[in-house]
mmCIF file of all heavy atoms in Angstrom:
data_model
loop_
_atom_site.group_PDB
_atom_site.id
_atom_site.type_symbol
_atom_site.label_atom_id
_atom_site.label_comp_id
_atom_site.label_asym_id
_atom_site.label_seq_id
_atom_site.Cartn_x
_atom_site.Cartn_y
_atom_site.Cartn_z
ATOM 1 N N LYS H 22 -35.730 33.857 -46.114
ATOM 2 C CA LYS H 22 -36.346 34.127 -47.325
ATOM 3 C C LYS H 22 -37.661 33.358 -47.483
ATOM 4 O O LYS H 22 -37.857 32.320 -46.805
ATOM 5 C CB LYS H 22 -35.459 33.782 -48.549
ATOM 6 C CG LYS H 22 -34.163 34.556 -48.631
ATOM 7 C CD LYS H 22 -34.355 36.006 -49.046
ATOM 8 C CE LYS H 22 -33.016 36.765 -49.220
ATOM 9 N NZ LYS H 22 -33.211 38.121 -49.638
ATOM 10 N N ASP H 23 -38.538 33.796 -48.372
ATOM 11 C CA ASP H 23 -39.675 32.982 -48.799
ATOM 12 C C ASP H 23 -39.196 32.211 -50.006
ATOM 13 O O ASP H 23 -38.367 32.683 -50.839
ATOM 14 C CB ASP H 23 -40.792 33.878 -49.243
ATOM 15 C CG ASP H 23 -41.575 34.547 -48.101
ATOM 16 O OD1 ASP H 23 -41.148 34.272 -46.944
ATOM 17 O OD2 ASP H 23 -42.625 35.165 -48.317
ATOM 18 N N ILE H 24 -39.690 30.960 -50.100
ATOM 19 C CA ILE H 24 -39.283 30.068 -51.266
ATOM 20 C C ILE H 24 -40.520 29.581 -51.891
ATOM 21 O O ILE H 24 -41.390 28.883 -51.282
ATOM 22 C CB ILE H 24 -38.380 28.875 -50.702
ATOM 23 C CG1 ILE H 24 -37.208 29.391 -49.947
ATOM 24 C CG2 ILE H 24 -37.987 27.943 -51.838
ATOM 25 C CD1 ILE H 24 -36.346 28.278 -49.255
ATOM 26 N N LEU H 25 -40.623 29.840 -53.201
ATOM 27 C CA LEU H 25 -41.746 29.354 -54.010
ATOM 28 C C LEU H 25 -41.336 28.153 -54.806
ATOM 29 O O LEU H 25 -40.334 28.210 -55.595
ATOM 30 C CB LEU H 25 -42.305 30.475 -54.945
ATOM 31 C CG LEU H 25 -43.579 30.185 -55.646
ATOM 32 C CD1 LEU H 25 -44.771 30.075 -54.665
ATOM 33 C CD2 LEU H 25 -43.887 31.282 -56.682
ATOM 34 N N ILE H 26 -42.123 27.049 -54.691
ATOM 35 C CA ILE H 26 -41.763 25.794 -55.434
ATOM 36 C C ILE H 26 -42.907 25.461 -56.327
ATOM 37 O O ILE H 26 -44.080 25.256 -55.873
ATOM 38 C CB ILE H 26 -41.551 24.636 -54.454
ATOM 39 C CG1 ILE H 26 -40.435 25.016 -53.420
ATOM 40 C CG2 ILE H 26 -41.207 23.353 -55.149
ATOM 41 C CD1 ILE H 26 -40.353 24.087 -52.271
ATOM 42 N N THR H 27 -42.667 25.345 -57.581
ATOM 43 C CA THR H 27 -43.702 25.051 -58.601
ATOM 44 C C THR H 27 -43.310 23.763 -59.363
ATOM 45 O O THR H 27 -42.213 23.748 -59.898
ATOM 46 C CB THR H 27 -43.894 26.153 -59.591
ATOM 47 O OG1 THR H 27 -44.093 27.400 -58.851
ATOM 48 C CG2 THR H 27 -45.047 25.923 -60.504
ATOM 49 N N ASN H 28 -44.166 22.756 -59.313
ATOM 50 C CA ASN H 28 -43.870 21.504 -59.945
ATOM 51 C C ASN H 28 -42.527 20.911 -59.593
ATOM 52 O O ASN H 28 -41.762 20.371 -60.446
ATOM 53 C CB ASN H 28 -44.017 21.608 -61.477
ATOM 54 C CG ASN H 28 -45.440 21.892 -61.890
ATOM 55 O OD1 ASN H 28 -46.413 21.330 -61.315
ATOM 56 N ND2 ASN H 28 -45.643 22.635 -62.902
ATOM 57 N N GLY H 29 -42.188 21.042 -58.337
ATOM 58 C CA GLY H 29 -40.923 20.485 -57.804
ATOM 59 C C GLY H 29 -39.647 21.307 -58.073
ATOM 60 O O GLY H 29 -38.611 20.854 -57.691
ATOM 61 N N THR H 30 -39.828 22.464 -58.631
ATOM 62 C CA THR H 30 -38.686 23.385 -58.950
ATOM 63 C C THR H 30 -38.777 24.669 -58.173
ATOM 64 O O THR H 30 -39.905 25.213 -58.054
ATOM 65 C CB THR H 30 -38.569 23.627 -60.369
ATOM 66 O OG1 THR H 30 -38.448 22.442 -61.142
ATOM 67 C CG2 THR H 30 -37.398 24.519 -60.700
ATOM 68 N N ILE H 31 -37.711 25.079 -57.606
ATOM 69 C CA ILE H 31 -37.661 26.390 -56.890
ATOM 70 C C ILE H 31 -37.742 27.503 -57.989
ATOM 71 O O ILE H 31 -36.815 27.683 -58.773
ATOM 72 C CB ILE H 31 -36.436 26.564 -56.090
ATOM 73 C CG1 ILE H 31 -36.331 25.525 -54.962
ATOM 74 C CG2 ILE H 31 -36.343 27.948 -55.476
ATOM 75 C CD1 ILE H 31 -35.040 25.511 -54.195
ATOM 76 N N THR H 32 -38.849 28.198 -57.994
ATOM 77 C CA THR H 32 -39.137 29.206 -59.104
ATOM 78 C C THR H 32 -38.792 30.602 -58.564
ATOM 79 O O THR H 32 -38.545 31.541 -59.351
ATOM 80 C CB THR H 32 -40.571 29.109 -59.599
ATOM 81 O OG1 THR H 32 -41.451 29.103 -58.531
ATOM 82 C CG2 THR H 32 -40.733 27.885 -60.377
ATOM 83 N N LYS H 33 -38.883 30.862 -57.263
ATOM 84 C CA LYS H 33 -38.588 32.153 -56.722
ATOM 85 C C LYS H 33 -38.172 32.147 -55.283
ATOM 86 O O LYS H 33 -38.629 31.372 -54.484
ATOM 87 C CB LYS H 33 -39.879 33.074 -56.863
ATOM 88 C CG LYS H 33 -39.602 34.556 -56.640
ATOM 89 C CD LYS H 33 -40.807 35.366 -56.920
ATOM 90 C CE LYS H 33 -40.526 36.877 -56.755
ATOM 91 N NZ LYS H 33 -41.688 37.719 -57.014
ATOM 92 N N ILE H 34 -37.138 32.917 -54.989
ATOM 93 C CA ILE H 34 -36.611 33.133 -53.601
ATOM 94 C C ILE H 34 -36.556 34.646 -53.390
ATOM 95 O O ILE H 34 -35.914 35.403 -54.153
ATOM 96 C CB ILE H 34 -35.258 32.502 -53.389
ATOM 97 C CG1 ILE H 34 -35.352 30.960 -53.633
ATOM 98 C CG2 ILE H 34 -34.812 32.825 -51.955
ATOM 99 C CD1 ILE H 34 -33.986 30.297 -53.477
ATOM 100 N N ASP H 35 -37.342 35.156 -52.391
ATOM 101 C CA ASP H 35 -37.432 36.542 -52.199
ATOM 102 C C ASP H 35 -37.753 36.824 -50.759
ATOM 103 O O ASP H 35 -38.108 35.894 -49.944
ATOM 104 C CB ASP H 35 -38.483 37.207 -53.071
ATOM 105 C CG ASP H 35 -38.086 38.663 -53.507
ATOM 106 O OD1 ASP H 35 -37.295 39.284 -52.771
ATOM 107 O OD2 ASP H 35 -38.567 39.096 -54.526
ATOM 108 N N ASN H 36 -37.633 38.082 -50.370
ATOM 109 C CA ASN H 36 -37.931 38.508 -48.955
ATOM 110 C C ASN H 36 -39.434 38.269 -48.582
ATOM 111 O O ASN H 36 -39.724 37.774 -47.450
ATOM 112 C CB ASN H 36 -37.619 39.969 -48.748
ATOM 113 C CG ASN H 36 -36.080 40.240 -48.812
ATOM 114 O OD1 ASN H 36 -35.362 39.322 -48.450
ATOM 115 N ND2 ASN H 36 -35.681 41.377 -49.220
ATOM 116 N N ASN H 37 -40.335 38.561 -49.504
ATOM 117 C CA ASN H 37 -41.699 38.384 -49.180
ATOM 118 C C ASN H 37 -42.448 38.070 -50.473
ATOM 119 O O ASN H 37 -42.623 38.927 -51.309
ATOM 120 C CB ASN H 37 -42.263 39.659 -48.521
ATOM 121 C CG ASN H 37 -43.770 39.415 -48.166
ATOM 122 O OD1 ASN H 37 -44.151 38.373 -47.871
ATOM 123 N ND2 ASN H 37 -44.471 40.531 -48.225
ATOM 124 N N ILE H 38 -42.921 36.889 -50.617
ATOM 125 C CA ILE H 38 -43.633 36.409 -51.774
ATOM 126 C C ILE H 38 -45.123 36.307 -51.458
ATOM 127 O O ILE H 38 -45.486 35.475 -50.559
ATOM 128 C CB ILE H 38 -43.130 35.018 -52.279
ATOM 129 C CG1 ILE H 38 -41.620 35.096 -52.694
ATOM 130 C CG2 ILE H 38 -43.929 34.621 -53.513
ATOM 131 C CD1 ILE H 38 -41.056 33.751 -53.023
ATOM 132 N N PRO H 39 -45.944 37.186 -52.012
ATOM 133 C CA PRO H 39 -47.350 37.189 -51.608
ATOM 134 C C PRO H 39 -48.021 35.900 -52.207
ATOM 135 O O PRO H 39 -47.726 35.410 -53.266
ATOM 136 C CB PRO H 39 -47.947 38.420 -52.288
ATOM 137 C CG PRO H 39 -46.991 38.751 -53.385
ATOM 138 C CD PRO H 39 -45.653 38.298 -52.936
ATOM 139 N N ASN H 40 -48.946 35.391 -51.447
ATOM 140 C CA ASN H 40 -49.733 34.194 -51.880
ATOM 141 C C ASN H 40 -50.975 34.637 -52.667
ATOM 142 O O ASN H 40 -52.071 34.827 -52.064
ATOM 143 C CB ASN H 40 -50.120 33.333 -50.625
ATOM 144 C CG ASN H 40 -50.746 32.014 -51.066
ATOM 145 O OD1 ASN H 40 -51.044 31.774 -52.225
ATOM 146 N ND2 ASN H 40 -50.912 31.128 -50.137
ATOM 147 N N GLN H 41 -50.750 34.862 -53.920
ATOM 148 C CA GLN H 41 -51.831 35.448 -54.786
ATOM 149 C C GLN H 41 -52.768 34.395 -55.331
ATOM 150 O O GLN H 41 -53.879 34.710 -55.791
ATOM 151 C CB GLN H 41 -51.194 36.308 -55.892
ATOM 152 C CG GLN H 41 -50.457 37.450 -55.362
ATOM 153 C CD GLN H 41 -49.647 38.216 -56.449
ATOM 154 O OE1 GLN H 41 -49.216 37.572 -57.477
ATOM 155 N NE2 GLN H 41 -49.525 39.529 -56.327
ATOM 156 N N LYS H 42 -52.328 33.109 -55.451
ATOM 157 C CA LYS H 42 -53.110 32.136 -56.096
ATOM 158 C C LYS H 42 -53.466 30.992 -55.237
ATOM 159 O O LYS H 42 -53.615 29.819 -55.680
ATOM 160 C CB LYS H 42 -52.321 31.661 -57.299
ATOM 161 C CG LYS H 42 -52.065 32.719 -58.364
ATOM 162 C CD LYS H 42 -51.319 32.180 -59.567
ATOM 163 C CE LYS H 42 -51.095 33.276 -60.591
ATOM 164 N NZ LYS H 42 -50.285 32.751 -61.804
ATOM 165 N N GLU H 43 -53.590 31.257 -53.894
ATOM 166 C CA GLU H 43 -53.930 30.233 -52.947
ATOM 167 C C GLU H 43 -52.992 28.969 -53.015
ATOM 168 O O GLU H 43 -53.328 27.851 -53.044
ATOM 169 C CB GLU H 43 -55.386 29.744 -53.183
ATOM 170 C CG GLU H 43 -56.318 30.854 -52.855
ATOM 171 C CD GLU H 43 -57.818 30.395 -52.889
ATOM 172 O OE1 GLU H 43 -57.984 29.137 -52.996
ATOM 173 O OE2 GLU H 43 -58.728 31.187 -52.806
ATOM 174 N N TYR H 44 -51.647 29.281 -53.046
ATOM 175 C CA TYR H 44 -50.678 28.258 -53.013
ATOM 176 C C TYR H 44 -50.754 27.564 -51.627
ATOM 177 O O TYR H 44 -51.179 28.186 -50.658
ATOM 178 C CB TYR H 44 -49.225 28.834 -53.112
ATOM 179 C CG TYR H 44 -48.963 29.700 -54.283
ATOM 180 C CD1 TYR H 44 -48.335 30.916 -54.165
ATOM 181 C CD2 TYR H 44 -49.358 29.361 -55.584
ATOM 182 C CE1 TYR H 44 -48.015 31.651 -55.243
ATOM 183 C CE2 TYR H 44 -49.103 30.102 -56.711
ATOM 184 C CZ TYR H 44 -48.413 31.305 -56.519
ATOM 185 O OH TYR H 44 -48.195 32.084 -57.561
ATOM 186 N N LYS H 45 -50.318 26.323 -51.521
ATOM 187 C CA LYS H 45 -50.176 25.693 -50.271
ATOM 188 C C LYS H 45 -49.037 26.386 -49.541
ATOM 189 O O LYS H 45 -47.888 26.486 -49.965
ATOM 190 C CB LYS H 45 -49.818 24.249 -50.374
ATOM 191 C CG LYS H 45 -49.698 23.519 -48.989
ATOM 192 C CD LYS H 45 -49.470 22.029 -49.148
ATOM 193 C CE LYS H 45 -49.286 21.432 -47.681
ATOM 194 N NZ LYS H 45 -50.376 21.663 -46.819
ATOM 195 N N THR H 46 -49.341 27.038 -48.352
ATOM 196 C CA THR H 46 -48.397 27.775 -47.589
ATOM 197 C C THR H 46 -47.894 26.984 -46.373
ATOM 198 O O THR H 46 -48.705 26.405 -45.669
ATOM 199 C CB THR H 46 -49.020 29.076 -47.138
ATOM 200 O OG1 THR H 46 -49.439 29.820 -48.316
ATOM 201 C CG2 THR H 46 -47.974 29.946 -46.400
ATOM 202 N N VAL H 47 -46.570 27.065 -46.262
ATOM 203 C CA VAL H 47 -45.949 26.350 -45.089
ATOM 204 C C VAL H 47 -45.314 27.448 -44.288
ATOM 205 O O VAL H 47 -44.321 28.036 -44.633
ATOM 206 C CB VAL H 47 -44.893 25.341 -45.537
ATOM 207 C CG1 VAL H 47 -44.206 24.687 -44.333
ATOM 208 C CG2 VAL H 47 -45.496 24.269 -46.414
ATOM 209 N N LYS H 48 -45.867 27.670 -43.109
ATOM 210 C CA LYS H 48 -45.390 28.710 -42.149
ATOM 211 C C LYS H 48 -45.256 27.977 -40.829
ATOM 212 O O LYS H 48 -46.204 27.669 -40.149
ATOM 213 C CB LYS H 48 -46.372 29.882 -42.091
ATOM 214 C CG LYS H 48 -45.798 31.101 -41.382
ATOM 215 C CD LYS H 48 -46.644 32.341 -41.569
ATOM 216 C CE LYS H 48 -45.904 33.540 -40.928
ATOM 217 N NZ LYS H 48 -46.722 34.788 -41.114
ATOM 218 N N LEU H 49 -43.927 27.819 -40.470
ATOM 219 C CA LEU H 49 -43.665 27.056 -39.218
ATOM 220 C C LEU H 49 -42.683 27.846 -38.391
ATOM 221 O O LEU H 49 -41.940 28.637 -38.821
ATOM 222 C CB LEU H 49 -43.000 25.719 -39.659
ATOM 223 C CG LEU H 49 -43.916 24.724 -40.437
ATOM 224 C CD1 LEU H 49 -43.030 23.628 -41.132
ATOM 225 C CD2 LEU H 49 -44.983 24.083 -39.545
ATOM 226 N N ASP H 50 -42.779 27.578 -37.033
ATOM 227 C CA ASP H 50 -42.027 28.273 -36.082
ATOM 228 C C ASP H 50 -40.435 28.196 -36.374
ATOM 229 O O ASP H 50 -39.971 27.074 -36.367
ATOM 230 C CB ASP H 50 -42.333 27.810 -34.670
ATOM 231 C CG ASP H 50 -41.565 28.564 -33.610
ATOM 232 O OD1 ASP H 50 -41.466 29.810 -33.730
ATOM 233 O OD2 ASP H 50 -41.053 27.954 -32.671
#
Side-chain angles (χ1 to χ4, degrees):
K22 298 287 183 181
D23 287 2
I24 303 172
L25 188 66
I26 303 167
T27 306
N28 293 324
T30 299
I31 298 173
T32 51
K33 191 172 184 180
I34 299 176
D35 211 337
N36 291 331
N37 182 31
I38 302 173
N40 188 350
Q41 296 173 329
K42 298 182 180 179
E43 296 187 5
Y44 306 136
K45 179 174 179 58
T46 301
V47 178
K48 191 168 186 178
L49 297 164
D50 183 44

